[in-house]
Amino acid sequence: MTAPDRGERLSIPLSAPHQTGGELEAISRVLASNWLASVGPEVTAFEVEAADALGVNAALATSSGTAALHLALRVLGVGAGDEVLVSTLTFCASVNPILYCGARPVFVDSEERSWNLDPALLADELDRRGRTGRLPAAVVVVHLYGQLAELVPILAACERWGVPVIEDAAESLGAHLSVDGARTRAAGTIGTLGIFSFDGSKMITTSVGGMLVSDREDLVTHARKLARQAREPVDHYEHTEIGYNYRMSSVHAALGRAQLPALSSRVAARRAVFAAYRERLEGVPGITLQPEAPWGGHVRWLTCILVDPARAGIDRTALQQALRAGGAESRPVWKPMHQQPVYRALGFPCIGGDVADALFAQGLCLPSSSSLPVEDVDRVCTLIRGAVVTR
Ligand SMILES: *Cc1c(COP(=O)(O)O)cnc(C)c1O
């Protein structure tokens, strides 16, 4: 059977690109301007509009979220021989840029309330390393599936030892940190640096693309230079450090500008999809939904469930097959990084890991597009109810 991400199109996709209607005009505007050769006003405008929307000082549009994370690590000076602590329950794009820098990842387990990096494990590890002078060069904290990690204690632990934090907010554009029930800063703008992805499946899309943000304008300025082959500001091509070709094109930026104003309605739509699932899956034995943690509004990029085979009479693999047979795409929760053969072969350690292992064993992501009709939620829930053996 073909894996969905190799091009299979089931009638109910996991997370479909959702156009606003303004995209065609936006692209026509770029073509009319013929601004195809280098970074132009469209890219700058997208950066300014995104920074405004997020409430952050500086933004750099990039060719992908992965590129943005690579730049974040580089401007923090992460290099050969360094170690970087990173959530184990995530997509490999949170980790690979650490290796691009010649550094080594150290994986950290999740906690159960948000499925994200466990602040207590992190604090213990930093204390242990701080005392022996082996601090990591950075911490990459991932906000999984639209849910903020417990940032307040995470940032406190890192600040105590002066370790910079990069937020991987690729899946959580539009989420906010709550303090005493009040909405405060946007996910991605709270740590030293933050990154987003505008991949076709994410909250909003430029088809491919990403963004690096920070209140530290000096860091973003350095990243901007690295993203264009690290050209020095002189007329002839001169280079004193190694750069990349990581800038976003005007065409992609125009798509982003057409998408950005829809962000809050996309968040509302995905939360409504989740609410529809919650209502319909109420009382189905062995099925529970990813919780919403008190410290941050969940944008529900993907609605995720846990399938307890002892109570559901079916495991998540069999449930995924049943959904596929019914025309609905679903996907296991990310396979933890400490279980990935490529990283195991390189011997990267993991602090804990049981929580992430259990979430992977039972976790399944359901179709969650912001354009998903409620009839499709009905269909998916009917398939789930039919597959769960009630005894
Ligand atoms: C999508 C994603 C990325 C990478 O984004 P790309 O734009 O695909 O490079 C990074 N981290 C996480 C957690 C993601 O889901």
Side-chain angles (χ1 to χ4, degrees):
M1 219 176 300
T2 325
D5 59 357
R6 280 186 227 129
E8 180 190 21
R9 272 209 174 171
L10 292 170
S11 63
I12 308 181
L14 188 76
S15 181
H18 188 176
Q19 293 189 32
T20 61
E23 286 82 2
L24 192 58
E25 195 196 309
I27 289 181
S28 306
R29 185 173 69 226
V30 175
L31 296 180
S33 75
N34 199 32
W35 213 299
L36 299 172
S38 64
V39 175
E42 206 69 50
V43 177
T44 307
F46 183 39
E47 290 172 345
V48 168
E49 287 161 11
D52 277 358
L54 291 162
V56 68
N57 284 345
L60 172 72
T62 56
S63 54
S64 70
T66 311
L69 181 54
H70 189 191
L71 291 170
L73 292 161
R74 272 292 309 270
V75 298
L76 291 174
V78 175
D82 285 334
E83 287 184 306
V84 175
L85 303 190
V86 57
S87 315
T88 190
L89 191 66
T90 186
F91 178 45
C92 68
S94 308
V95 176
N96 284 335
I98 298 168
L99 289 134
Y100 304 162
C101 293
R104 288 169 60 86
V106 175
F107 304 121
V108 183
D109 202 2
S110 300
E111 40 77 13
E112 277 162 359
R113 286 198 293 171
S114 73
W115 300 9
N116 289 310
L117 191 137
D118 184 332
L121 284 181
L122 176 74
D124 284 353
E125 181 66 13
L126 289 178
D127 288 348
R128 202 176 60 79
R129 286 168 169 267
R131 283 193 300 268
T132 53
R134 289 177 46 247
L135 284 169
V139 171
V140 176
V141 51
V142 184
H143 306 314
L144 215 56
Y145 298 126
Q147 172 73 76
L148 226 80
E150 194 177 6
L151 271 184
V152 171
I154 290 173
L155 291 175
C158 291
E159 265 158 32
R160 189 157 62 240
W161 293 105
V163 176
V165 174
I166 302 171
E167 295 179 72
D168 178 347
E171 301 180 358
S172 298
L173 180 63
H176 285 81
L177 179 69
S178 310
V179 176
D180 300 330
R183 202 174 132 124
T184 64
R185 299 211 57 171
T189 70
I190 308 160
T192 313
L193 293 143
I195 70 109
F196 300 100
S197 167
F198 307 123
D199 175 75
S201 71
K202 300 285 163 75
M203 294 299 296
I204 64 167
T205 185
T206 59
S207 183
V208 289
M211 193 166 272
L212 174 71
V213 300
S214 180
D215 276 338
R216 289 267 313 267
E217 286 180 53
D218 57 322
L219 295 178
V220 176
T221 300
H222 187 196
R224 195 177 297 284
K225 176 188 166 197
L226 291 177
R228 292 187 77 190
Q229 306 291 14
R231 276 181 68 184
E232 294 299 327
V234 292
D235 280 341
H236 58 276
Y237 281 66
E238 180 149 299
H239 311 275
T240 59
E241 57 186 335
I242 305 293
Y244 314 92
N245 182 4
Y246 276 173
R247 289 310 310 267
M248 181 179 275
S249 82
S250 298
V251 175
H252 294 92
L255 285 172
R257 293 183 72 197
Q259 290 262 308
L260 189 61
L263 177 60
S264 57
S265 74
R266 298 299 185 248
V267 172
R270 289 196 190 246
R271 285 184 62 90
V273 166
F274 172 83
Y277 277 120
R278 186 178 50 198
E279 201 179 293
R280 286 159 182 75
L281 294 175
E282 179 90 61
V284 179
I287 304 290
T288 49
L289 293 115
Q290 185 189 12
E292 180 162 18
W295 56 77
H298 199 317
V299 297
R300 299 291 178 191
W301 171 56
L302 295 182
T303 290
C304 305
I305 57 171
L306 294 178
V307 186
D308 174 4
R311 292 177 52 231
I314 186 171
D315 66 11
R316 73 122 163 82
T317 309
L319 182 56
Q320 187 188 10
Q321 278 158 7
L323 291 176
R324 184 181 282 156
E329 185 183 356
S330 62
R331 185 163 73 193
V333 159
W334 299 122
K335 180 172 183 168
M337 295 299 110
H338 69 269
Q339 287 196 41
Q340 295 293 347
V342 64
Y343 303 137
R344 288 181 78 117
L346 292 163
F348 301 138
C350 187
I351 300 153
D354 293 349
V355 176
D357 286 345
L359 292 169
F360 171 58
Q362 298 198 352
L364 193 65
C365 310
L366 301 178
S368 306
S369 307
S370 45
S371 54
L372 192 71
V374 74
E375 299 76 55
D376 284 359
V377 177
D378 281 337
R379 244 177 82 192
V380 173
C381 293
T382 304
L383 290 167
I384 294 173
R385 283 179 173 277
V388 168
V389 182
T390 31
R391 286 154 301 157

